Amino acid sequence: MRDHSRLPTSPGFWRSPLRGPWFTSVLGLVLLVGITVLFVTGLVSYAAYNPGLSRVNDMTPDKGILGFYLFAWPTDPVWLYRLTQGVHVTLGFTLIPVLLAKLWSVVPRLFTLPPARSLAHALERISLLLLVGGGLFEFTTGVLNVQLDYVFPGSFYPLHFYGAWVFFAAFLAHAALKTPTAVRAVRQRRQERNDLVSPRPEAPTVSRRGALGLVGGGSLLLFLTTVGQSLGGPFRRTALLAPHGTADPGGGPNGFQINKTAAYAGITAADTHEDAWRLVVTGRTGTIRLSRAQLLQLPQHSASLPIACVEGWSTADQWWRGVRLRDLAALVGYDGDPPDVLVESLQRHGAFRRAALRANQVADGRSLLALFVNGEELSPDHGHPARIIVPAAPGVLNTKWVARLTFGDL
């Protein structure tokens, strides 16, 4: 007779003694908590861009009811975005071994025949396709974005945003059906038999707890080689898997992380020379043009703030000095509660050449048009002659090489 155990559709083909409800359930419960935190921190990251303020901030148009949770992003605490996005990226890397182990543990079900025993079974398998496909898509695009490898068939922002909603909807449905069973399987000492348990398993070479230890060790290794990019300072060199972990921005007061250089942005010395550069400020009473020397004659203020980016990296607090945004708003007729502001850069192309800041960000006394950092003029790569620095804002909203500020309702 033909040996059907050689085919993956046969239960006898899958002979690992590790597969079973207990092993799968432990991994599933870890993912239940971890993926929920990932989803929430991802939504928070999107809210930090204040996408409802202006289309220049909104990288996911036509979101409709999916933007129901959006709120005005606060400026306190100053490390808020650094924390939420650091958790999002670091946890995403840390869960990769758990996700892969969970998929391995249930792979026999992918080949179950018949593929659909009933309409309800067919719908369940379609939901699993969305669950598995969505999970792989979200983790893959997230890792590629952190590695600055933009090979997506479109913009990362809408792909990751809409993909997250599809994946999490399938995830919630799956969790509602399977969580009670998973909890029961973990509590029981003996191994229940189901379609994941091989009818003729091979001799074990490691226990199920040993296998979980191996998965946990892999997650710990990824955590230790990623988290340093969010902690900054000397820990950055431990972030071997992050593109910013070992980058050397040089020494001195400007010796901290640079994401986009002046050369990349097309900024030349002629653009920023003191004879050529002027800051154009527009508001209720008209437009004024200020040279850097004139900006230096205005009251100067200082703030100690970090920079945090969507890729998960952040700097330690840097000491910035410059003119408060609310003081610039007062120069053009907003002496009191300042309005929103549209910031435009000398950068000629690329995402976030323009960015909008909400009124509460403009009003914060730590929000600056920075001219100095750590006691020295900004370097070209850090935005000379002037850049925005706002507490708790994503890095891309801290616009460099500022050319124009337009105050008013956006």
Side-chain angles (χ1 to χ4, degrees):
M1 293 181 64
R2 187 175 180 181
D3 185 6
H4 291 287
S5 65
R6 294 182 178 180
L7 300 176
T9 53
S10 168
F13 179 86
W14 308 98
R15 301 190 60 191
S16 172
L18 298 179
R19 289 191 178 93
W22 184 84
F23 185 73
T24 296
S25 296
V26 171
L27 296 172
L29 291 175
V30 172
L31 289 174
L32 175 63
V33 176
I35 287 177
T36 300
V37 174
L38 276 183
F39 183 70
V40 171
T41 53
L43 293 185
V44 167
S45 176
Y46 177 58
Y49 284 75
N50 280 324
L53 177 61
S54 170
R55 290 191 65 85
V56 301
N57 287 10
D58 191 0
M59 304 300 288
T60 54
D62 303 322
K63 56 189 173 294
I65 61 172
L66 297 184
F68 70 92
Y69 67 94
L70 296 177
F71 54 95
W73 187 250
T75 56
D76 278 307
V78 297
W79 41 260
L80 180 60
Y81 187 75
R82 181 183 187 182
L83 173 66
T84 58
Q85 192 60 13
V87 168
H88 183 73
V89 172
T90 303
L91 180 60
F93 270 97
T94 302
L95 287 178
I96 288 174
V98 184
L99 176 68
L100 295 178
K102 176 65 166 25
L103 294 178
W104 172 86
S105 74
V106 296
V107 72
R109 288 178 174 167
L110 178 66
F111 299 93
T112 300
L113 293 178
R117 296 189 295 269
S118 65
L119 177 60
H121 185 239
L123 292 175
E124 180 185 359
R125 299 206 74 176
I126 292 173
S127 71
L128 289 177
L129 178 64
L130 294 175
L131 178 69
V132 175
L136 291 175
F137 177 82
E138 285 299 289
F139 276 83
T140 300
T141 54
V143 169
L144 289 174
N145 183 65
V146 171
Q147 299 299 326
L148 305 180
D149 193 1
Y150 302 116
V151 294
F152 319 113
S155 172
F156 165 76
Y157 295 92
L159 288 173
H160 204 65
F161 178 81
Y162 294 125
W165 277 105
V166 172
F167 166 58
F168 198 69
F171 178 78
L172 284 180
H174 185 74
L177 293 172
K178 299 297 185 182
T179 297
T181 303
V183 171
R184 185 171 62 251
V186 170
R187 286 178 174 175
Q188 290 178 344
R189 295 291 183 181
R190 61 184 182 85
Q191 172 81 343
E192 290 185 353
R193 297 200 64 84
N194 66 5
D195 58 339
L196 295 178
V197 179
S198 175
R200 51 189 190 94
E202 294 178 335
T205 58
V206 65
S207 68
R208 291 186 177 89
R209 284 182 170 81
L212 285 178
L214 182 63
V215 173
S219 290
L220 179 61
L221 179 63
L222 288 178
F223 173 81
L224 293 176
T225 52
T226 304
V227 70
Q229 71 163 352
S230 298
L231 299 177
F235 298 101
R236 185 176 302 285
R237 295 190 179 277
T238 67
L240 303 178
L241 298 182
H244 305 281
T246 57
D248 184 8
N254 279 274
F256 57 94
Q257 180 58 46
I258 298 165
N259 195 23
K260 186 185 299 181
T261 65
Y264 174 85
I267 307 298
T268 67
D271 296 322
T272 59
H273 191 275
E274 60 182 9
D275 293 334
W277 181 82
R278 294 293 183 273
L279 174 69
V280 180
V281 184
T282 300
R284 179 185 293 154
T285 58
T287 298
I288 60 174
R289 296 168 60 87
L290 300 169
S291 67
R292 197 170 191 278
Q294 290 171 315
L295 287 170
L296 290 172
Q297 293 174 1
L298 297 175
Q300 303 290 298
H301 296 268
S302 299
S304 182
L305 300 172
I307 295 178
C309 193
V310 68
E311 288 97 6
W313 65 264
S314 61
T315 72
D317 287 0
Q318 309 298 322
W319 194 253
W320 307 91
R321 187 166 178 80
V323 183
R324 294 185 302 192
L325 293 183
R326 70 188 191 192
D327 291 343
L328 291 169
L331 294 178
V332 288
Y334 297 101
D335 192 5
D337 291 334
D340 309 327
V341 63
L342 175 66
V343 184
E344 298 179 72
S345 173
L346 290 173
Q347 180 181 335
R348 294 174 177 83
H349 55 80
F352 292 101
R353 183 183 66 82
R354 299 186 299 163
L357 299 174
R358 200 177 288 278
N360 69 303
Q361 295 173 310
V362 176
D364 193 295
R366 298 162 296 181
S367 296
L368 304 175
L369 179 74
L371 307 173
F372 299 90
V373 63
N374 299 323
E376 187 175 278
E377 282 192 8
L378 296 168
S379 68
D381 288 338
H382 279 303
H384 178 82
R387 70 169 297 164
I388 297 293
I389 186 73
V390 173
V396 290
L397 298 185
N398 293 310
T399 308
K400 297 193 285 189
W401 314 292
V402 175
R404 179 184 292 269
L405 300 174
T406 304
F407 291 94
D409 295 331
L410 302 180

